[in-house]
Amino acid sequence: MNKTLSALVMAAAMPATALAADYPSKNLDMIVPSSPGGAADTLMRAIQPGLESSLGRTIVVRNMGAGGGALALTRTATAKPDGYTLTLANNQNFTLEGLGNVGFKYQDFDYLARITEEPYLLVSNKNDQWQDAEALVADLKKSGKPLQVGTSGVGSSTYVVASTLGSQLGIPVQVVPFDGGSPAISALMGGHVDAVVVNPSEVLSQIRGDRLQAVLSTGSERSELLPDVKTMKEQGYDLAVSQWRGIATPAGVSDEVETAWVEAVKKAIEAPEFKRFAESTGVEVKPLFGDELDTYVSDMADVMIPASRKVAENNAQ
């Protein structure tokens, strides 16, 4: 009898989240900070069935690409940290803060899982003049024209990377923001911009189909998918940064929520359908969780936030 009473007293003292062993008990909102059809949206749609199967609930995907993802991430950061509002996190969590476009800090999120990691590519239409960074710079200095580079919205990481490439390469770059990666790629193929900054999974089929070419990569090493594309580092430039995509929530969710999502992601990336998606698009699945993910997020913030602040300062001049 005393043991029973003691257990009841202990239970009464526990927070409600610790007692709720039925998470999730309702549908979940996944806010994607990009327009439909972009890389983030495509990844979410591909992994969604596996996540829903593991979690036992419907995930309602909401695309909010406005402001380079500012609306989506602000909506997530200010939501109740109960595990029912999530976002597909990426470098926008850092670039928007560095550009000064939002009121949140990257620490206002709990990062539950990294799903993929890819380098950025500078991609152009096929030509004989821009085979690598050296050839690109030489041709542009000869012509005296700025390089028009299409990117996702102003707050996106591709916008920051494109601006950073200009200062690294020592050439004038005119960054042209679009409402997502897909419109930027369409503009390139239509001849409306000179190049785009995107991730390999967004343009792999066009590159393999010999319709587009990758001029350079920002990865720390060459991509296995595009082994002929030189990195910035090996071409003598001090830039190595990658895009990543994962699951984040408003800061303060329970351990139960984190555990549920870690297990869901682990199962979803092993689903045959998702594996076929990864193989066909070339998306590089590199899961990361827990303390290792926290360290990774902190390291990426240390790179992307200062780079974004520098872009903001240059734009203000």
Side-chain angles (χ1 to χ4, degrees), residues 211-222:
R211 289 175 288 168
L212 298 176
Q213 68 181 21
V215 179
L216 57 84
S217 165
T218 68
S220 57
E221 57 187 24
R222 293 195 190 192

Side-chain angles (χ1 to χ4, degrees), residues 19 32 47 113 179 195 212 223 260 310:
L19 295 174
V32 178
I47 202 171
D179 188 19
L212 298 176
S223 169
K310 187 173 182 179

Side-chain angles (χ1 to χ4, degrees), residues 150-171:
T151 70
S152 298
V154 172
S156 70
S157 61
T158 56
Y159 179 90
V160 170
V161 170
S163 301
T164 303
L165 282 177
S167 59
Q168 284 278 332
L169 296 173
I171 56 174

Side-chain angles (χ1 to χ4, degrees), residues 65-278:
L71 176 61
L73 296 181
T74 299
R75 182 76 60 87
T76 305
T78 56
K80 184 179 179 181
D82 57 5
Y84 290 96
T85 300
L86 306 102
T87 189
L88 196 68
N90 56 49
N91 282 338
Q92 287 167 287
N93 291 62
F94 316 129
T95 57
L96 287 165
E97 176 183 342
L99 290 169
N101 294 346
V102 292
F104 64 74
K105 304 292 184 183
Y106 82 92
Q107 297 95 333
D108 292 332
F109 298 86
D110 281 344
Y111 301 88
L112 309 185
R114 185 185 75 185
I115 302 170
T116 64
E117 183 185 34
E118 302 178 88
Y120 295 92
L121 300 177
L122 180 68
V123 176
S124 71
N125 283 306
K126 290 288 290 186
N127 66 73
D128 296 329
Q129 289 75 42
W130 298 354
Q131 297 303 312
D132 55 24
E134 182 180 3
L136 170 72
V137 171
D139 187 58
L140 288 173
K141 287 186 175 179
K142 181 179 179 181
S143 69
K145 296 179 180 179
L147 182 70
Q148 290 186 316
V149 182
T151 70
S152 298
V154 172
S156 70
S157 61
T158 56
Y159 179 90
V160 170
V161 170
S163 301
T164 303
L165 282 177
S167 59
Q168 284 278 332
L169 296 173
I171 56 174
V173 168
Q174 180 183 351
V175 182
V176 184
F178 292 86
D179 188 19
S182 292
I185 295 167
S186 296
L188 171 63
M189 298 185 75
H192 303 296
V193 293
D194 301 319
V196 293
V197 171
V198 290
N199 301 125
S201 59
E202 297 178 89
V203 289
L204 189 62
S205 61
Q206 292 95 327
I207 292 174
R208 287 177 172 173
D210 216 28
R211 289 175 288 168
L212 298 176
Q213 68 181 21
V215 179
L216 57 84
S217 165
T218 68
S220 57
E221 57 187 24
R222 293 195 190 192
S223 169
E224 294 180 3
L225 301 169
L226 299 166
D228 296 331
V229 181
K230 297 177 182 178
T231 67
M232 290 284 287
K233 281 284 191 180
E234 67 181 300
Q235 295 184 77
Y237 298 97
D238 186 24
L239 181 64
V241 63
S242 296
Q243 173 64 292
W244 65 284
R245 295 184 175 90
I247 305 298
T249 65
V253 297
S254 67
D255 292 342
E256 178 193 10
V257 170
E258 181 173 2
T259 298
W261 276 92
V262 168
E263 292 306 311
V265 169
K266 287 180 178 179
K267 291 179 181 178
I269 61 177
E270 293 300 325
E273 297 83 358
F274 184 74
K275 285 189 172 183
R276 284 195 291 271
F277 159 78

